[in-house]
């Protein structure tokens, strides 16, 4: 069966030749597994690629990149398929699917792991926790490691060990011309710098090497839920605490609607609440003193903060973030002034669905001590990252929900410097990308793009345009 694309026709013989050069497989429209293969986590995106290449290894990625270039196809790169903006898929182009690539080698003596880019954080935590080691991972364990890391990587170890990208020590990359390069401090150092915060602009990252740290297996973690009428005192009390919090403690405030969870009284199900989540990365016994003040911010509806396996905290939110629901994120680095808190609480009262939320991520600690010039992720000064989430069970009225999130972000961002976190950006808007990097950083990213992807083959991302794309 021939397949029409925006650029031409892919014939059966052409696709057969592609598949013959792979260890993995090709999925075409009309194949029994096509609909499952094209689905992504975010149900807001329903795309129909011309071909999906399920890569078994780096050689398959090289072949897929060469094929995309030869056929002038739009390229989407998929790891965990959690891209909020839908970059994991496309219409009429090629999806380079890395999800079969799940190998990992842990070196406990050096505290390093080399992980293939198809792994999720649940996969990687399983491997590293066998040795009592971890690196900053996602807040939902089904998130892929690669896209998360390339955009920065905010998680429960952020204040103790920095972003995931801060702990990236090397990466294997297939560039737009089909070369395989190893980027690290001593090899392709500019590319290595750009990969730590510049997103998927520069090639297909096929494996990532991380510095690991002793974590767990038990940590002090969980959440405390407070009623809506105490939201202001909870948020302002949290603001007062985070300035003196030890680096081992990373917290998050969630302005949300109470889900029907067994530890919550039935009468609060479906009502607006404020939850304080956190994890103490050190000795759980020592963490009680740090966590204790979080329990006194108001009158708790529920307190499920206590010792638990690190992997349990990493997957605690998974049931609330299953695949398929249309979802939109937008974000702003802010300072939680009284006016900012007023704006947040107003927007909380107008959330369009019970699944829409506003998150306040505590920053600082190790995250803030990384020199701004060390990585492409250079937004290190703000004390809080606000993530505005619109989420719905289906697409009906979803545009209205997105408009709510954008409006909330616009109001809240006035209390910061306008920058977004690229992993929490639901739009592929050039002005938002420019605003997320200081001018000098952006120009340096353009220079790296010029070197490794001058034709902008990899443009399904928060795109750094080359100087003069062909």
């Amino acid at each position: 069966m021939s397949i029409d694309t925006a650029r031409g026709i892919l014939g059966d013989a052409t696709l057969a030749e592609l598949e013959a050069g792979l260890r993995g497989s090709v999925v075409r429209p009309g194949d029994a597994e096509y609909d499952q293969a094209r689905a992504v986590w975010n149900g807001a995106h329903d795309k129909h690629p011309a071909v999906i290449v399920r890569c078994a290894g780096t050689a398959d990625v090289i072949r897929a990149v060469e094929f995309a270039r030869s056929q002038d196809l739009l390229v989407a790169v998929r790891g965990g398929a959690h891209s909020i903006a839908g970059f994991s898929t496309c219409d009429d182009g090629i999806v380079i699917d890395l999800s079969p690539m799940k190998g990992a080698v842990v070196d406990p003596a050096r505290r390093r792991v080399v992980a293939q880019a198809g792994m999720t954080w649940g996969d990687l935590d399983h491997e590293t926790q066998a040795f009592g080691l971890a690196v900053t991972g996602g807040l939902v364990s089904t998130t892929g490691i690669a896209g998360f890391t390339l955009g920065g990587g905010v998680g429960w170890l952020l204040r103790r060990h920095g972003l995931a990208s801060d702990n990236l020590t090397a990466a294997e990359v297939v560039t737009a011309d089909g070369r395989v390069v190893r980027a690290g401090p001593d090899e392709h150092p500019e590319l290595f710098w750009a990969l730590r915060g510049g997103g998927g602009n520069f090639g297909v990252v096929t494996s990532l090497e991380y510095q690991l740290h002793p974590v767990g297996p038990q940590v002090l973690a969980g959440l405390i839920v407070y009623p809506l009428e105490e939201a202001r005192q909870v948020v302002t009390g949290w603001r007062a605490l985070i300035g003196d919090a030890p680096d081992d403690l990373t917290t998050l405030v969630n302005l949300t609607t109470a889900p029907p969870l067994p530890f919550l009284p039935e009468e609060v199900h479906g009502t607006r609440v404020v939850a304080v989540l956190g994890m103490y990365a050190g000795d759980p016994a020592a963490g009680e003193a740090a966590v204790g003040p979080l329990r006194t911010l108001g009158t708790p509806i529920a307190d499920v903060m206590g010792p638990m396996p690190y992997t349990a905290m990493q997957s605690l939110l998974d049931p609330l973030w299953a695949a398929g629901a249309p979802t939109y994120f937008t974000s702003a680095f802010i300072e939680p002034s009284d006016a900012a808190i007023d704006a947040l609480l107003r927007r909380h009262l107008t959330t369009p669905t019970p699944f829409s939320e506003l998150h306040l991520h505590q920053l600082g600690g190790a995250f803030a001590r990384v020199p701004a010039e060390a990585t492409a992720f250079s937004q290190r000064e703000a004390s809080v990252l606000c993530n505005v989430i619109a989420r719905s069970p289906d697409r009906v009225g979803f545009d209205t929900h997105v408009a709510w999130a954008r409006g909330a972000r616009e109001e809240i961002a006035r209390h910061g410097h306008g920058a977004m976190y690229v992993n929490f950006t639901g739009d592929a808007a050039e002005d938002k990308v420019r605003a997320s990097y200081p001018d000098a950083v952006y120009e340096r990213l353009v220079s790296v793009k010029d070197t490794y992807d001058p034709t902008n083959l990899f443009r399904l991302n928060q795109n750094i345009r080359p100087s003069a794309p062909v």
Side-chain angles (χ1 to χ4, degrees), residues 51-278:
V51 59
I52 300 166
V53 178
R54 288 175 161 166
C55 298
T58 300
D60 286 357
V61 176
I62 297 169
R63 180 76 181 99
V65 169
E66 291 173 340
F67 182 81
R69 197 174 62 247
S70 69
Q71 301 296 321
D72 197 18
L73 291 173
L74 182 64
V75 175
V77 181
R78 175 183 302 171
H82 270 241
S83 169
I84 297 297
F87 299 138
S88 306
T89 187
C90 60
D91 282 324
D92 299 327
I94 183 172
V95 173
I96 301 177
D97 185 359
L98 309 178
S99 62
M101 298 171 56
K102 293 185 179 293
V105 178
V106 180
D107 182 342
R110 295 176 61 235
R111 294 180 179 169
R112 296 287 177 93
V113 61
V114 178
Q116 288 187 302
M119 298 190 84
T120 66
W121 284 105
D123 298 329
L124 188 58
D125 288 338
H126 176 80
E127 298 296 330
T128 61
Q129 277 292 281
F131 303 94
L133 300 170
V135 65
T136 306
L139 302 180
V140 176
S141 73
T142 56
T143 304
I145 67 171
F148 176 90
T149 301
L150 299 178
V154 171
W156 296 120
L157 295 174
L158 173 144
R159 289 175 45 78
R160 185 71 182 96
H161 299 299
L163 299 166
S165 58
D166 296 334
N167 292 279
L168 187 69
T169 56
E172 180 184 83
V173 185
V174 177
T175 61
D177 58 2
R179 290 182 298 147
V180 179
V181 301
R182 175 182 168 85
D186 302 317
E187 304 171 86
H188 299 272
E190 279 296 284
L191 176 60
F192 179 58
W193 170 86
L195 292 175
R196 292 177 293 161
N201 272 283
F202 313 103
V204 183
V205 173
T206 52
S207 70
L208 305 96
E209 181 182 278
Y210 297 99
Q211 179 71 54
L212 298 173
H213 308 276
V215 176
Q218 292 284 309
V219 294
L220 181 60
L223 72 158
I224 305 162
V225 182
Y226 292 99
L228 175 65
E229 56 267 24
E230 296 182 354
R232 184 177 301 278
Q233 75 178 67
V234 170
V235 178
T236 55
W238 173 80
R239 176 185 63 186
L241 290 175
I242 61 176
D244 296 322
D247 289 358
D248 275 324
L249 180 65
T250 299
T251 62
L252 178 156
V253 169
N254 185 3
L255 299 170
T256 186
T257 299
L261 296 174
F263 61 82
L264 291 173
E266 189 172 347
E267 61 267 23
V268 306
H269 293 177
T271 67
R272 289 186 174 89
V273 295
V274 54
V276 180
L277 296 84

Side-chain angles (χ1 to χ4, degrees), residues 22-34:
L22 301 172
R23 188 161 58 91
S25 61
V26 168
V27 180
R28 309 165 177 81
D31 289 350
E33 65 269 40
Y34 177 73

